[in-house]
Protein backbone atom coordinates (compact mmCIF):
# COMPACT_ATOMS: atom_id res chain seq x y z
CA UNK A 1 0.00 0.00 0.00
CA UNK A 2 1.28 3.49 -0.75
CA UNK A 3 2.48 5.57 2.17
CA UNK A 4 0.67 8.88 2.55
CA UNK A 5 2.48 12.17 2.52
CA UNK A 6 2.67 15.50 0.71
CA UNK A 7 3.04 15.11 -3.04
CA UNK A 8 2.32 11.38 -3.01
CA UNK A 9 -0.61 9.12 -3.55
CA UNK A 10 -1.85 9.13 0.02
CA UNK A 11 -3.66 6.66 2.15
CA UNK A 12 -7.23 7.38 3.13
CA UNK A 13 -6.17 7.88 6.75
CA UNK A 14 -3.58 10.49 5.79
CA UNK A 15 -6.08 12.34 3.60
CA UNK A 16 -8.60 12.29 6.44
CA UNK A 17 -6.02 13.68 8.89
CA UNK A 18 -5.01 16.42 6.46
CA UNK A 19 -8.67 17.39 5.91
CA UNK A 20 -9.24 17.42 9.68
CA UNK A 21 -6.29 19.80 10.09
CA UNK A 22 -7.70 22.11 7.41
CA UNK A 23 -11.16 22.07 9.02
CA UNK A 24 -9.65 22.75 12.46
CA UNK A 25 -7.67 25.78 11.20
CA UNK A 26 -10.71 27.12 9.30
CA UNK A 27 -12.89 26.53 12.35
CA UNK A 28 -10.47 28.33 14.68
CA UNK A 29 -10.34 31.34 12.35
CA UNK A 30 -14.14 31.50 12.31
CA UNK A 31 -14.41 31.10 16.08
CA UNK A 32 -11.77 33.82 16.62
CA UNK A 33 -13.74 36.25 14.41
CA UNK A 34 -17.05 35.45 16.12
CA UNK A 35 -15.51 35.66 19.60
CA UNK A 36 -13.98 39.08 18.83
CA UNK A 37 -17.29 40.32 17.40
CA UNK A 38 -19.24 39.01 20.40
CA UNK A 39 -16.76 40.46 22.91
CA UNK A 40 -16.92 43.88 21.22
CA UNK A 41 -20.69 43.83 21.80
CA UNK A 42 -20.44 42.73 25.40
CA UNK A 43 -21.32 39.11 24.62
CA UNK A 44 -19.36 35.94 23.94
CA UNK A 45 -16.30 35.84 26.19
CA UNK A 46 -14.63 32.64 25.02
CA UNK A 47 -14.80 30.54 21.90
CA UNK A 48 -12.61 27.64 20.90
CA UNK A 49 -12.45 24.70 18.56
CA UNK A 50 -12.49 21.21 20.06
CA UNK A 51 -11.75 18.20 17.89
CA UNK A 52 -13.22 14.78 18.55
CA UNK A 53 -16.42 12.80 18.42
CA UNK A 54 -19.18 15.35 19.00
CA UNK A 55 -21.02 13.60 21.86
CA UNK A 56 -17.77 13.21 23.83
CA UNK A 57 -16.73 16.82 23.18
CA UNK A 58 -20.12 18.06 24.36
CA UNK A 59 -19.85 16.11 27.61
CA UNK A 60 -16.55 17.86 28.38
CA UNK A 61 -18.28 21.24 28.06
CA UNK A 62 -21.09 20.56 30.52
CA UNK A 63 -19.32 22.32 33.39
CA UNK A 64 -17.75 25.06 31.27
CA UNK A 65 -20.31 26.46 28.84
CA UNK A 66 -23.47 28.51 29.39
CA UNK A 67 -24.76 27.56 25.95
CA UNK A 68 -23.41 25.49 23.05
CA UNK A 69 -24.04 26.65 19.48
CA UNK A 70 -24.25 23.85 16.91
CA UNK A 71 -24.81 24.35 13.21
CA UNK A 72 -24.17 23.03 9.76
CA UNK A 73 -21.22 24.34 7.84
CA UNK A 74 -22.49 26.99 5.42
CA UNK A 75 -25.06 27.04 2.65
CA UNK A 76 -22.89 25.02 0.26
CA UNK A 77 -21.84 22.31 2.72
CA UNK A 78 -21.54 18.74 1.55
CA UNK A 79 -24.58 17.33 3.33
CA UNK A 80 -23.86 13.75 2.34
CA UNK A 81 -20.45 13.64 4.04
CA UNK A 82 -20.91 16.37 6.65
CA UNK A 83 -24.40 15.71 7.98
CA UNK A 84 -25.62 17.13 11.27
CA UNK A 85 -29.25 16.00 11.15
CA UNK A 86 -28.51 12.29 11.49
CA UNK A 87 -26.49 13.01 14.64
CA UNK A 88 -29.01 15.38 16.23
CA UNK A 89 -30.47 12.93 18.74
CA UNK A 90 -27.06 11.79 20.01
CA UNK A 91 -26.00 15.45 20.29
CA UNK A 92 -29.04 16.36 22.37
CA UNK A 93 -28.58 13.37 24.67
CA UNK A 94 -24.85 13.99 25.14
CA UNK A 95 -25.07 17.19 27.19
CA UNK A 96 -26.98 18.90 29.95
CA UNK A 97 -25.97 22.35 28.62
CA UNK A 98 -28.58 24.23 26.56
CA UNK A 99 -27.93 23.74 22.84
CA UNK A 100 -28.61 26.44 20.27
CA UNK A 101 -29.09 24.72 16.92
CA UNK A 102 -28.42 27.28 14.19
CA UNK A 103 -29.88 26.88 10.70
CA UNK A 104 -27.44 26.53 7.83
CA UNK A 105 -28.19 29.87 6.16
CA UNK A 106 -28.41 33.25 7.82
CA UNK A 107 -31.62 35.19 8.03
CA UNK A 108 -32.76 37.61 10.71
CA UNK A 109 -33.97 35.77 13.79
CA UNK A 110 -37.70 36.23 14.34
CA UNK A 111 -38.04 33.67 17.13
CA UNK A 112 -36.65 30.49 18.59
CA UNK A 113 -37.83 26.99 19.32
CA UNK A 114 -37.50 24.98 22.50
CA UNK A 115 -37.59 21.25 21.74
CA UNK A 116 -39.24 20.06 24.95
CA UNK A 117 -38.57 16.77 26.69
CA UNK A 118 -38.94 15.47 30.21
CA UNK A 119 -36.50 15.33 33.08
CA UNK A 120 -34.75 17.65 35.50
CA UNK A 121 -32.19 18.73 32.88
CA UNK A 122 -34.99 20.25 30.77
CA UNK A 123 -36.30 22.36 33.64
CA UNK A 124 -32.72 23.43 34.44
CA UNK A 125 -32.12 24.40 30.80
CA UNK A 126 -35.32 26.46 30.66
CA UNK A 127 -34.31 28.18 33.91
CA UNK A 128 -30.87 29.01 32.50
CA UNK A 129 -32.37 30.43 29.30
CA UNK A 130 -34.87 32.56 31.23
CA UNK A 131 -32.76 33.76 34.15
CA UNK A 132 -29.40 34.11 32.38
CA UNK A 133 -30.85 35.73 29.25
CA UNK A 134 -29.08 33.31 26.94
CA UNK A 135 -31.53 33.95 24.10
CA UNK A 136 -33.27 37.10 22.86
CA UNK A 137 -36.76 38.00 24.07
CA UNK A 138 -38.40 37.02 20.81
CA UNK A 139 -41.36 34.68 20.30
CA UNK A 140 -40.59 31.17 21.56
CA UNK A 141 -42.28 27.96 20.49
CA UNK A 142 -42.20 25.21 23.12
CA UNK A 143 -42.60 22.09 20.99
CA UNK A 144 -43.31 18.60 22.30
CA UNK A 145 -43.46 15.73 19.84
CA UNK A 146 -45.82 12.95 20.92
CA UNK A 147 -48.76 12.62 23.27
CA UNK A 148 -47.90 14.28 26.59
CA UNK A 149 -49.47 13.11 29.82
CA UNK A 150 -50.65 15.55 32.51
CA UNK A 151 -47.21 15.59 34.13
CA UNK A 152 -45.52 16.67 30.89
CA UNK A 153 -48.24 19.26 30.25
CA UNK A 154 -47.64 20.63 33.74
CA UNK A 155 -43.89 20.89 33.07
CA UNK A 156 -44.58 22.66 29.76
CA UNK A 157 -46.94 25.14 31.41
CA UNK A 158 -44.34 25.76 34.15
CA UNK A 159 -41.67 26.42 31.48
CA UNK A 160 -44.03 28.78 29.65
CA UNK A 161 -44.80 30.67 32.90
CA UNK A 162 -41.11 30.96 33.86
CA UNK A 163 -40.22 32.31 30.43
CA UNK A 164 -43.14 34.76 30.63
CA UNK A 165 -41.92 35.96 34.05
CA UNK A 166 -38.67 37.01 32.35
CA UNK A 167 -40.29 38.72 29.38
CA UNK A 168 -40.42 35.92 26.82
CA UNK A 169 -43.54 35.30 24.71
CA UNK A 170 -43.75 31.51 24.72
CA UNK A 171 -46.45 29.33 23.21
CA UNK A 172 -46.93 25.57 23.61
CA UNK A 173 -47.27 23.26 20.60
CA UNK A 174 -47.97 19.51 20.62
CA UNK A 175 -47.26 17.68 17.35
CA UNK A 176 -47.18 14.06 16.19
CA UNK A 177 -44.32 12.51 14.25
CA UNK A 178 -40.65 11.67 14.62
CA UNK A 179 -38.94 14.18 16.94
CA UNK A 180 -35.79 14.74 14.84
CA UNK A 181 -37.82 15.22 11.65
CA UNK A 182 -40.38 17.56 13.27
CA UNK A 183 -37.73 19.71 14.95
CA UNK A 184 -35.69 19.93 11.73
CA UNK A 185 -38.78 20.99 9.79
CA UNK A 186 -39.66 23.64 12.38
CA UNK A 187 -36.08 24.94 12.40
CA UNK A 188 -36.31 25.39 8.65
CA UNK A 189 -39.43 27.55 8.89
CA UNK A 190 -39.36 31.32 8.43
CA UNK A 191 -40.47 32.02 11.99
CA UNK A 192 -37.72 30.09 13.79
CA UNK A 193 -34.14 31.30 13.56
Amino acid sequence: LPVGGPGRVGSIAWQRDERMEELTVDGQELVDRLTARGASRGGLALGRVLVGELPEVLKTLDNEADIIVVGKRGENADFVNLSLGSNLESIVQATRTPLLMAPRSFRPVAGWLLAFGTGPEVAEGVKRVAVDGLLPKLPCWIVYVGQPDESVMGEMRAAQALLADFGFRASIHIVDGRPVQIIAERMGSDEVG
Side-chain angles (χ1 to χ4, degrees), residues 10 14 46 53 70 79 94 97 102 130 146 161 171 178 186-187 190:
W14 177 80
L46 172 68
E53 293 295 325
V70 180
F79 287 103
T97 303
S171 57
R178 294 181 48 228
R186 291 286 178 117
M187 282 187 63
D190 290 336

Side-chain angles (χ1 to χ4, degrees), residues 30 38 47 49 80 87 118 128 154:
L30 175 63
V49 172
V80 174
N87 298 316
T118 59
R128 289 176 68 184

